[in-house]
Amino acid sequence: MDLGPTAQKYILHWGEMGSRWGVNRTVAQIHALLFLADQPLHAEEIAETLNVARSNVSNSLKELQSWGLVRITHLAGDRRDHFVALQDVWEIFRVIVEERKRREIDPTLTVLRDCASEASHDKTLSRAAVARMDQALDFVEMLTGTYEDYKHLPPATLKRFLKMGGKVARLLSSDDKV
C-alpha cells in the first residue's frame, strides 16, 4: 500500500500520540493505518507499508484486537487473515475509555477501597493521611459514577452535551461566586 504525505503524517503523529498515552508506537501506527485504509489489510501489507517487522505487526494486531479496536475479516479466495479497524470515532472513543477504565481505573478503585477499609484499623496512619485517602477514593468513585451515567448515551446526545461544556462551566462557576 502506497501512502501519500498526509496519510504518512497522520500515521506518524498517531504513533507519537500513542506513545505519549502509554501505547506502543507501532500499535498506534497500525491502528491509524487500518483506520485510514479503504479496504481490509493483511499483516504482510501492514508490515511492508509501515516498514516494521512482521512479528511486531502480529503482536500489535493481537493488542489491537484485545482492545476491540481491530477485528479479523476474510476475503474470498484469500486464506490470509485481513484486518479492519472500527471506523466510527465515537465508538473508538467509547471502546478506548471503557478499556482504560477496566484496565486502569477499576483495579485502582479496588485498592483504594481496600485501603480505606484497612485505614480505620491502621494505627500508623494519621487522621490527615486517612482523610486524604478518603478524598482520593471519593474522587475516583465520583468520576467512575459519572462515567457510568454517561457511557450508554447515544453519540448524538454526547455530542450535544460536549458542545454545551463551556456554557455549563460558566453557569456552574457563576454559582460558585454567589
Side-chain angles (χ1 to χ4, degrees):
M1 180 175 179
D2 194 23
L3 296 176
T6 306
Q8 286 179 8
K9 180 178 181 178
Y10 186 95
I11 292 166
L12 289 173
H13 182 72
W14 200 248
E16 290 171 21
M17 289 310 302
S19 65
R20 291 180 185 145
W21 295 333
V23 176
N24 176 286
R25 180 182 307 269
T26 304
V27 170
Q29 288 178 344
I30 290 171
H31 180 250
L33 174 64
L34 291 172
F35 178 72
L36 295 180
D38 291 330
Q39 73 279 338
L41 302 177
H42 57 78
E44 291 79 17
E45 285 177 295
I46 296 168
E48 183 180 303
T49 301
L50 297 178
N51 197 26
V52 294
R54 174 66 176 81
S55 59
N56 196 352
V57 169
S58 180
N59 291 332
S60 297
L61 287 167
K62 286 177 187 169
E63 178 71 13
L64 288 164
Q65 288 174 78
S66 78
W67 278 78
L69 294 169
V70 167
R71 67 178 173 80
I72 295 175
T73 190
H74 294 97
L75 302 179
D78 191 339
R79 295 177 51 188
R80 296 173 293 194
D81 290 338
H82 288 71
F83 300 88
V84 292
L86 292 175
Q87 297 296 300
D88 181 330
V89 294
W90 288 97
E91 182 65 9
I92 292 168
F93 177 75
R94 188 198 63 73
V95 166
I96 290 171
V97 169
E98 184 64 32
E99 273 300 305
R100 292 207 82 132
K101 178 189 171 294
R102 186 180 69 77
R103 294 175 184 215
E104 299 167 24
I105 302 298
D106 291 349
T108 298
L109 193 52
T110 298
V111 172
L112 290 174
R113 287 177 177 149
D114 289 348
C115 289
S117 174
E118 295 166 8
S120 62
H121 307 295
D122 189 339
K123 305 284 187 228
T124 64
L125 288 172
S126 68
R127 283 188 194 168
V130 171
R132 288 189 297 272
M133 284 181 166
D134 288 342
Q135 287 175 339
L137 175 59
D138 290 345
F139 177 76
V140 175
E141 284 180 332
M142 180 186 63
L143 289 177
T144 303
T146 301
Y147 169 73
E148 293 298 326
D149 291 341
Y150 293 115
K151 78 178 189 180
H152 296 294
L153 292 176
T157 303
L158 278 174
K159 193 173 186 178
R160 284 195 316 271
F161 177 73
L162 291 173
K163 285 183 175 181
M164 290 185 341
K167 294 172 189 167
V168 172
R170 286 188 293 280
L171 174 68
L172 293 176
S173 67
S174 67
D175 287 350
D176 291 341
K177 295 175 185 174
V178 176

